[in-house]
Amino acid sequence: MDYIDVLVVEDDPMVADIHQNYVNSVEGFRVVGMVDNGLKALDFLRKRPVRLVILDIFLPGLDGLGTLERIRESGSNVDVIIISASRDKATVNKTLQAGAFDYIVKPFAFDRMKAALQAFCQVVHRLTEGPNQVDQQDIDNLLLARNKKNVQTVLPKGLNPNVLEKVEALLTKVDKPLSSVETAEAIGVSRITARRYLEYLVASDKAVMEREYQEVGRPINKYELTR
């Protein structure tokens, strides 16, 4: 299988791990590197070219916008998806003008990144398959594929993306399955609340649940992220 190689540029290790898990969960994509600033990203790309960069805006040293501009100046065949907490219109405009493929605002649900990656995959295939010449219909279809993110990116009613991100970050950090009680205690929510988020992750194929049987009493449901 041919994979689309991805570089993650994020200075928060826990968030970088979440991005890596998300990307690797989408068929046809794999993370081949993770760095924590723009200069390291440019150095990585010189040594190990990739097709796609997941890039934060707020980075030490060379920020995300500067990194994107340097990537464009290099003329390399690499696209960039921005994932940032910045909602500033000027920043969003500059990144899009600089050629970002997509812009995702933190915090976000897995489906939003999955939609962006699938749209990118469609564009790549349309640009690499078939004859070298395209007509207007081909171009229209290409632009439609780029902008097609027709998935549910809104969480079910009652779920908060910030809490979801905390649950995923916790499951990413630990090296064993956790129960709803353990999750609740770790992030400071009720057991029922923790269970709702854990069950949502299972329903979204982001986590798996297994029953741990006790010598006495009922079995305990334990959850871990899909590897």
Side-chain angles (χ1 to χ4, degrees), residues 83-144:
I83 298 183
S84 174
S86 176
R87 300 167 183 262
D88 178 67
K89 288 183 178 179
T91 299
V92 174
N93 187 48
K94 287 179 181 179
T95 58
L96 296 179
Q97 287 180 335
F101 181 84
D102 201 351
Y103 193 111
I104 302 175
V105 177
K106 299 177 183 177
F108 60 93
F110 166 68
D111 283 348
R112 180 62 179 86
M113 178 184 278
K114 182 179 180 181
L117 294 177
Q118 290 177 334
F120 178 75
C121 188
Q122 289 186 43
V123 170
V124 169
H125 287 164
R126 288 178 183 273
L127 288 173
T128 56
E129 296 177 352
N132 291 330
Q133 298 293 319
V134 295
D135 57 24
Q136 185 63 57
Q137 185 63 51
D138 293 325
I139 295 173
D140 291 344
N141 290 336
L142 182 67
L143 294 175
L144 179 63

Side-chain angles (χ1 to χ4, degrees), residues 57-70:
I57 290 292
F58 301 117
L59 296 169
L62 184 64
D63 66 10
L65 181 57
T67 303
L68 172 59
E69 291 172 343
R70 295 273 290 274

Side-chain angles (χ1 to χ4, degrees), residues 44-55:
F44 185 96
L45 292 174
R46 283 190 290 267
K47 299 174 181 177
R48 172 66 162 85
V50 302
R51 187 64 182 81
L52 180 65
V53 175
I54 303 296
L55 180 64

Side-chain angles (χ1 to χ4, degrees), residues 171 174 176-180 182-183 194-195 197-202 207-210 220-225:
L171 294 179
V174 299
K176 63 177 183 178
L178 296 180
S179 67
S180 59
E182 292 169 323
T183 303
R195 188 178 65 190
Y197 285 91
L198 292 167
E199 290 178 348
Y200 171 78
L201 289 174
V202 172
V208 294
M209 184 274 288
E210 60 183 33
I220 299 174
N221 293 341
K222 294 289 188 82
Y223 302 83
E224 65 178 339
L225 292 181

Side-chain angles (χ1 to χ4, degrees), residues 4 17 38 74 77 80 82 101 114 124 139 150 214 216 221:
I4 294 176
D17 285 340
S74 72
N77 183 31
V80 174
I82 299 292
F101 181 84
K114 182 179 180 181
V124 169
I139 295 173
N150 187 24
Q214 313 295 307
V216 179
N221 293 341

Side-chain angles (χ1 to χ4, degrees), residues 16-59:
D17 285 340
I18 292 175
H19 291 351
Q20 180 183 37
N21 287 333
Y22 276 2
V23 172
N24 288 339
S25 297
V26 180
E27 184 178 359
F29 291 84
R30 63 181 178 185
V31 173
V32 296
M34 294 194 295
V35 296
D36 58 9
N37 66 60
L39 292 177
K40 289 182 181 178
L42 296 174
D43 183 61
F44 185 96
L45 292 174
R46 283 190 290 267
K47 299 174 181 177
R48 172 66 162 85
V50 302
R51 187 64 182 81
L52 180 65
V53 175
I54 303 296
L55 180 64
D56 190 14
I57 290 292
F58 301 117
L59 296 169

